[in-house]
Amino acid sequence: MEHLHMLSILVRNKSGVLQRITGLFSSRGYNIQSIYAGQTKNPAISRIIIEVPGDDFIINQVKNQVNKLVDVIEISEPDADAAQAMQQARENIIR
């Protein structure tokens, strides 16, 4: 069953990383519902939060493919509490 998944991706803060990640989604026909990116406390690392609809099989494919990109350090799906906190923060930004 398809539902919205939130992916948290830690990457090296280098030029073109966001473009390579979104290009991977685009080239495979995956839809990105929303995307947020920002530098972490370590200026060499950024976090990208992507909300993407899909079933568990598609999300696992996405995670495996993104994880193969050179500048990706880690990809995870936040637990329900963390995802809810991120969702609330996103809603505050949109307002």
Side-chain angles (χ1 to χ4, degrees):
M1 184 170 85
E2 189 171 297
H3 56 280
L4 193 61
H5 292 261
M6 185 175 291
L7 302 177
S8 174
I9 308 167
L10 283 178
V11 298
R12 288 179 185 81
N13 194 5
K14 293 185 176 178
S15 177
V17 172
L18 183 60
Q19 181 181 3
R20 285 191 292 280
I21 290 173
T22 57
L24 184 145
F25 278 77
S26 175
S27 68
R28 286 162 178 77
Y30 300 139
N31 185 41
I32 295 175
Q33 183 159 339
S34 64
I35 186 167
Y36 309 92
Q39 186 174 295
T40 64
K41 289 181 182 179
N42 179 345
I45 298 174
S46 291
R47 179 178 306 276
I48 301 169
I49 308 279
I50 297 178
E51 291 180 318
V52 59
D55 59 30
D56 291 338
F57 178 76
I58 288 175
I59 298 307
N60 284 330
Q61 277 188 318
V62 167
K63 287 167 54 176
N64 289 334
Q65 292 167 357
V66 168
N67 206 34
K68 291 178 185 178
L69 296 175
V70 173
D71 291 313
V72 171
I73 298 167
E74 176 183 290
I75 182 168
S76 62
E77 279 190 79
D79 64 24
D81 291 336
Q84 183 178 12
M86 288 183 211
Q87 181 70 18
Q88 287 174 342
R90 179 180 77 89
E91 289 172 4
N92 288 337
I93 291 169
I94 291 173
R95 291 182 195 168

